[in-house]
Amino acid sequence: MTTSTARRRRTIAAATLLLAVAGVLAACAGEPDTSTSAAPPSSATQQSADAGAGEPSATASPTPTSTVAVVELPTDCSALLTDSVRAELGDTPLNDPAFAPTGVQADGTLICVWRHPSADTVGIMTTISKMSRGPALDMLNKLADEDGFTCYTPDGGTRCEKTWPNPTYPVTDGRTLFWRDDVLIDTVFSDLAPSGYTAAIVASVFD
């Protein structure tokens, strides 16, 4: 293990302990106000700041809480987004049959795909599923340590994200993951990153 990786893991451990204490307090005080949640520096690009990655910040990775609230998985993709986010998606179809399977799966996982079936690359897909603390911590640590994802701790959970150039088209691809209370929100996108997309889903699921 490299010195930088060891230092990052010590940071993760400390962040995990702090968030665990915060989680207990939040159970009494209610959900944190998103306007005061931890966020990355303002130098991030508009596209990656909301649905994708690339928000440079000190990696304060995977911080699942020790006290887990029972959160039900959503069942309606269209109800996850705010009006402003929906407006940015315009006439992009939701869950076209060409991209099956979508919608609610047998295990309760919800898959939402916003994409034209005729489009070569433009689209955004979000999968919302259950994932317990151990696997979530392992996965997010690996993304931070080995794959260059930037992680931080907004809205009572952990968010990891990254963007990269599409290998075929002159557009940006990316992935954003948000974990909290045994629920993972995992979004991948290509040239479609509405402002506030991930934040809207987080608020819909946890508020």
Side-chain angles (χ1 to χ4, degrees), residues 63-119:
T63 53
T65 61
S66 59
T67 301
V68 179
V70 177
V71 178
E72 297 295 329
L73 295 179
T75 59
D76 184 354
C77 293
S78 62
L80 292 173
L81 305 178
T82 60
D83 290 343
S84 61
V85 173
R86 289 290 300 273
E88 288 193 54
L89 289 168
D91 62 354
T92 306
L94 170 62
N95 294 344
D96 188 278
F99 304 112
T102 59
V104 180
Q105 306 300 296
D107 63 353
T109 294
L110 181 65
I111 302 175
C112 306
V113 179
W114 299 86
R115 183 171 176 175
H116 285 282
S118 60

Side-chain angles (χ1 to χ4, degrees), residues 138-155:
D138 290 343
M139 180 186 67
L140 297 177
N141 273 326
K142 182 177 180 180
L143 290 174
D145 293 343
E146 300 180 14
D147 298 330
F149 276 67
T150 296
C151 297
Y152 56 107
T153 55
D155 303 312

Side-chain angles (χ1 to χ4, degrees), residues 19 32-41 55 57 60 152-157 159 178:
L19 190 57
D33 185 343
T34 56
S35 64
T36 59
S37 299
E55 299 172 309
S57 113
Y152 56 107
T153 55
D155 303 312
R159 176 167 168 161
F178 181 90

